Amino acid sequence: MTEITDVFFDLDHTLWDFDRNSGLTFKKIFQEQKINLDLDEFLKVYEPINLEYWRLYRDEKIEKEELRYKRLKTTFDKLNYTIEDNLIDVISEDYINYLPLFNHLLDGTIELLEYLKTKYRLHIITNGFEEVQKIKLEKSQINDYFQVVVTSESVGVKKPNPKVFEFALKEANVSAEKAVMVGDSLEADVLGALAVGISPIHLFKDTPSSDEKIISVQSLLDIKQYL
């Protein structure tokens, strides 16, 4: 990767510790709204449901409001917890407002960004909501590392749609051949980047890519071997 000049990062699950921050957000909401559910049990059911609804949202099959409501409604129904729709709406709104106030990063984030910032221009490409992602970057104090921040909402389509990556390349004024994309999602980040000629690095949690041509790392600091 000697010709690389720019590194694009996904945000949630890649730099920003989404699972930890999300859990803390629900803990705060459950206390305020007196939700009588075991938090760990709730999260165990909610997290895969949330991922599935995000896939539907990413594939343009549901709108943002439907995602926010149904991921909660489906979880409470599966747990046989009776709750009024208006309270689900309150929880949904509080979740969006509280989530970016927690600022835990994945291990190695700051060390990696410090290492890379003198060698490359750094950027963000995220499918997260516009109003939330900017606050996450600011509150976690990593905003200044990045020159270009592209959210899917600002483009009108979501990763892995090539238009998101093409828009980001144009904003950063760099060709695909000189760029790397780091992300946790094999479909959205890795395959999306490959489709436009950007070299991907897959940050995997459980299973690395089976494609030997794709660089897979299990921790952020492993990326230093390649960049």
Side-chain angles (χ1 to χ4, degrees):
M1 294 190 174
T2 54
E3 301 298 317
I4 298 301
T5 60
D6 292 63
V7 181
F8 292 89
F9 284 92
D10 174 48
L11 184 58
D12 295 334
H13 303 286
T14 298
L15 300 176
W16 198 79
D17 193 341
F18 184 90
D19 289 341
R20 184 176 181 185
N21 294 324
S22 180
L24 290 169
T25 301
F26 278 119
K27 181 179 180 180
K28 177 178 174 64
I29 291 171
F30 278 23
Q31 290 171 345
E32 289 183 351
Q33 300 297 339
K34 298 180 172 56
I35 304 295
N36 188 25
L37 272 175
D38 179 81
L39 180 61
D40 290 337
E41 183 181 359
F42 172 84
L43 292 173
K44 185 177 180 180
V45 174
Y46 170 82
E47 286 173 358
I49 289 173
N50 181 49
L51 287 175
E52 182 56 35
Y53 276 107
W54 265 102
R55 288 190 190 97
L56 293 172
Y57 176 67
R58 188 179 68 209
D59 294 341
E60 313 284 352
K61 293 180 179 178
I62 59 173
E63 298 295 324
K64 178 167 68 174
E65 291 73 20
E66 193 175 358
L67 160 67
R68 290 178 174 180
Y69 170 80
K70 282 193 171 180
R71 62 185 177 183
L72 291 170
K73 173 65 172 171
T74 304
T75 302
F76 285 123
D77 285 350
K78 193 165 185 178
L79 290 167
N80 296 315
Y81 186 84
T82 303
I83 186 169
E84 298 292 331
D85 274 354
N86 65 334
L87 182 51
I88 291 179
D89 290 337
V90 169
I91 294 171
S92 175
E93 189 66 26
D94 285 347
Y95 181 81
I96 295 300
N97 291 331
Y98 293 164
L99 181 63
L101 303 181
F102 296 96
N103 52 33
H104 294 285
L105 299 169
L106 289 175
D107 290 344
T109 294
I110 298 298
E111 183 178 338
L112 178 64
L113 294 177
E114 281 289 319
Y115 168 78
L116 293 176
K117 73 176 185 179
T118 59
K119 304 172 66 177
Y120 307 96
R121 297 189 304 160
L122 309 180
H123 317 286
I124 292 286
I125 309 177
T126 172
N127 274 352
F129 301 137
E130 176 90 14
E131 70 271 26
V132 178
Q133 301 303 75
K134 299 294 179 69
I135 302 173
K136 287 178 182 176
L137 289 166
E138 292 167 4
K139 292 292 184 181
S140 58
Q141 299 182 347
I142 59 173
N143 196 47
D144 290 344
Y145 286 103
F146 304 106
Q147 296 188 25
V148 169
V149 176
V150 172
T151 65
S152 59
E153 281 191 317
S154 70
V155 184
V157 292
K158 306 166 192 72
K159 295 181 293 182
N161 192 307
K163 291 181 180 178
V164 179
F165 297 95
E166 290 164 356
F167 180 88
L169 290 169
K170 185 176 179 180
E171 287 292 295
N173 192 27
V174 63
S175 64
E177 295 76 21
K178 294 185 176 181
V180 165
M181 177 71 200
V182 179
D184 69 292
S185 171
L186 192 59
E187 182 180 353
D189 299 314
V190 175
L191 299 183
L194 281 172
V196 297
I198 298 174
S199 298
I201 295 180
H202 182 212
L203 178 67
F204 70 94
K205 184 177 181 180
D206 300 312
T207 308
S209 168
S210 58
D211 189 338
E212 294 181 358
K213 297 190 295 292
I214 295 173
I215 295 172
S216 292
V217 297
Q218 199 162 16
S219 77
L220 286 170
L221 294 183
D222 288 343
I223 294 171
K224 294 167 73 173
Q225 302 173 43
Y226 303 97
L227 293 173

